[in-house]
Amino acid sequence: VVEKCTFCVQRVRQADGHYPACVEACPVGARKFGNLLDDKSEIRHIMREKRVFIFKEELSTEPKFYYFYAT
């Protein structure tokens, strides 16, 4: 459930660059995680180049969880 997810903050804050457990465990690489403030990050590339869907965008809650289409 996304609203209860903390993105494994304890793992992400470690100096050796761990990703959240769900990202590392995903067998097909469908989950992406990164710094939205870094223009050179993979996640920013996806946001620029892919079709991105924000669930319930009309509520203006400014989520940090986005869905993107593969094509």
Side-chain angles (χ1 to χ4, degrees), residues 7-8 11 19-34:
F7 296 107
C8 296
R11 292 173 55 93
Y19 289 111
C22 62
V23 174
E24 289 186 4
C26 183
V28 295
R31 294 175 183 249
K32 304 296 180 191
F33 183 85

Side-chain angles (χ1 to χ4, degrees), residues 4-21:
K4 293 181 181 179
C5 179
T6 63
F7 296 107
C8 296
V9 68
Q10 71 281 5
R11 292 173 55 93
V12 174
R13 287 185 178 166
Q14 291 178 353
D16 50 355
H18 282 288
Y19 289 111

Side-chain angles (χ1 to χ4, degrees), residues 2-71:
V2 175
E3 65 261 14
K4 293 181 181 179
C5 179
T6 63
F7 296 107
C8 296
V9 68
Q10 71 281 5
R11 292 173 55 93
V12 174
R13 287 185 178 166
Q14 291 178 353
D16 50 355
H18 282 288
Y19 289 111
C22 62
V23 174
E24 289 186 4
C26 183
V28 295
R31 294 175 183 249
K32 304 296 180 191
F33 183 85
N35 184 355
L36 291 173
L37 301 176
D38 180 5
D39 286 335
K40 297 178 182 178
S41 68
E42 179 184 17
I43 196 67
R44 284 298 297 260
H45 174 73
I46 290 170
M47 299 286 288
R48 277 192 309 272
E49 304 295 325
K50 306 265 186 197
R51 288 179 28 212
V52 176
F53 172 74
I54 301 171
F55 190 63
K56 295 188 179 183
E57 184 175 17
E58 67 277 3
L59 297 178
S60 301
T61 58
E62 299 180 17
K64 299 298 182 233
F65 195 89
Y66 304 94
Y67 300 87
F68 69 91
Y69 299 92
T71 57

